[in-house]
Amino acid sequence: MSTQEHKRTKKVHKNIKLNIKRRTIIVDDQLVFHKNVPIPSWIELSIIDVCNRSCIFCPKSKPEIAPDTYQRMKMPLINKLTKDIKDMGFKGSVTLCGYGEPLLHKEIYKISKKLAEAAFVEIVTNGDVLTKDIIKNLYNSNVNKLLISLYDGPEQVKKFKKMTKESGVPSSFVILRDRWHDESKDYGIKLTNRTGTIDIGKQDTVDNFTYCFYPSYSVLIDWDGNFYLCPQDWQRRISMGNLMQSSFFEIWTDKMITKYRKNLIKGKRCDNPCTSCNAEGTVLGKQHAKAWQKIYNIKI
């Protein structure tokens, strides 16, 4: 790996550092093997393809690229996913986020409770539909963490702290993330081009990073069961497989995802959509990448 990618210390917002630290504990401390191969520790679910906001830094602001289709994940898929990851001995996090606002799904409580049978469950929301009762119901549905992204301003902190207190849940259940910043602070997020989809702010060039560990430790599953390499691929260019047609483990070890994983561990972003991506893909998943490196006998 290049010295640049090892030592790069681009200034990021304090909350981003805290989030990375929190996710590192989940991702890198949960290196679990099934049939002698490392399984993912981070699964992101896009349970509904619609959002009630249109943020300038998000592909949903471009309907021609990421339109609201209102499609939603159904319980048979959730049930199968839960069984598959339980059978593998999964110990990581399933995060409800993806390409839409998860709290718009009418079966959010049922989904959360089922997934909690096999995983640490997180929900990332813009908080627009939240009430004290919804927070309480999410907590009672065995959600482990509720992350609220605050886009309007610092006054929202007081609002949601009050709402959390009134809900009666532990204060540690809710994490507030300030996202109300302007372009000068990258809107309070770790800004990327979403594989060539968004061109806004001062972003890294596409060739700035070559190595990437996303396919070593994570996947994104869309509402219809399609697997994608990571949450950066907002145009859903290439599916690795479908959960309703194969088992999770079969897709995770299939030749399609293996090709991407091998190349990215070698520092080769030579396949679409990776060729258009500027994400720093080595922030998380180092332990998983090392394990795969040994399996593939890759020397770096």
Side-chain angles (χ1 to χ4, degrees):
M1 191 176 302
S2 68
T3 301
Q4 181 186 23
E5 290 184 78
H6 265 307
K7 297 184 177 181
R8 188 174 183 274
T9 56
K10 180 180 178 180
K11 187 177 181 180
V12 295
H13 197 264
K14 179 181 177 182
N15 277 10
I16 295 176
K17 291 182 179 179
L18 290 174
N19 188 50
I20 291 173
K21 182 178 180 180
R22 184 185 63 82
R23 287 183 60 175
T24 299
I25 295 172
I26 297 173
V27 171
D28 288 333
D29 287 357
Q30 297 298 339
L31 181 57
V32 176
F33 288 79
H34 179 64
K35 296 184 179 179
N36 297 319
V37 301
I39 62 173
S41 54
W42 193 271
I43 300 171
E44 188 164 321
L45 295 189
S46 187
I47 63 172
I48 190 166
D49 191 28
V50 60
C51 188
N52 58 305
R53 287 199 174 224
S54 180
C55 301
I56 193 172
F57 52 79
C58 175
K60 278 293 185 186
S61 64
K62 296 184 175 183
E64 70 278 12
I65 292 175
D68 289 332
T69 67
Y70 296 86
Q71 300 282 2
R72 61 184 180 87
M73 192 174 286
K74 296 180 180 179
M75 284 308 299
L77 197 151
I78 294 292
N79 293 336
K80 185 175 186 300
L81 172 62
T82 302
K83 181 182 184 303
D84 281 4
I85 62 176
K86 185 183 292 186
D87 290 345
M88 292 190 302
F90 184 78
K91 300 295 183 183
S93 175
V94 173
T95 300
L96 310 186
C97 183
Y99 306 126
E101 167 52 54
L103 295 189
L104 297 180
H105 199 300
K106 293 181 179 179
E107 293 185 293
I108 186 65
Y109 306 132
K110 189 176 181 181
I111 289 171
S112 300
K113 188 169 289 188
K114 185 62 182 179
L115 291 171
E117 294 178 8
F120 185 93
V121 178
E122 295 191 357
I123 294 178
V124 180
T125 176
N126 57 38
D128 287 352
V129 302
L130 276 178
T131 64
K132 63 179 181 180
D133 289 335
I134 290 176
I135 293 177
K136 183 177 181 179
N137 288 337
L138 291 171
Y139 182 78
N140 290 337
S141 298
N142 299 329
V143 174
N144 296 97
K145 289 290 182 183
L146 179 64
L147 287 74
I148 308 175
S149 300
L150 312 179
Y151 296 112
D152 296 336
E155 68 278 1
Q156 288 185 291
V157 174
K158 183 178 180 180
K159 169 188 173 182
F160 284 108
K161 281 188 175 181
K162 181 175 182 291
M163 189 183 295
T164 300
K165 185 176 181 179
E166 291 176 346
S167 71
V169 306
S171 59
S172 59
F173 174 65
V174 174
I175 296 177
L176 303 180
R177 310 192 300 176
D178 50 319
R179 298 288 189 266
W180 57 74
H181 304 284
D182 59 18
E183 184 177 340
S184 66
K185 292 187 177 180
D186 289 344
Y187 307 96
I189 67 171
K190 195 168 179 61
L191 194 63
T192 69
N193 69 358
R194 300 295 194 270
T195 61
T197 303
I198 292 293
D199 181 18
I200 189 170
K202 297 178 181 179
Q203 296 199 30
D204 293 302
T205 59
V206 170
D207 60 353
N208 204 38
F209 303 109
T210 54
Y211 294 86
C212 182
F213 301 155
Y214 271 117
S216 294
Y217 74 90
S218 71
V219 295
L220 182 143
I221 305 177
D222 207 0
W223 65 269
D224 56 359
N226 277 333
F227 271 58
Y228 295 98
L229 280 175
C230 72
Q232 301 295 334
D233 185 15
W234 270 77
Q235 294 191 47
R236 300 164 164 102
R237 290 179 178 90
I238 300 176
S239 170
M240 300 293 111
N242 188 281
L243 189 62
M244 297 307 288
Q245 298 171 1
S246 306
S247 74
F248 189 110
F249 189 73
E250 286 172 336
I251 299 171
W252 180 245
T253 54
D254 187 69
K255 61 182 181 180
M256 173 71 82
I257 196 170
T258 297
K259 179 184 74 168
Y260 281 85
R261 187 184 292 126
K262 280 184 175 179
N263 283 334
L264 291 171
I265 290 175
K266 293 177 181 178
K268 297 179 180 180
R269 296 197 185 192
C270 54
D271 303 301
N272 186 41
C274 304
T275 51
S276 303
C277 183
N278 69 348
E280 187 179 0
T282 57
V283 176
L284 300 169
K286 294 179 178 63
Q287 300 306 318
H288 290 74
K290 287 180 181 178
W292 282 114
Q293 181 183 338
K294 291 180 180 178
I295 291 171
Y296 296 146
N297 196 26
I298 296 173
K299 295 182 179 180
I300 300 177

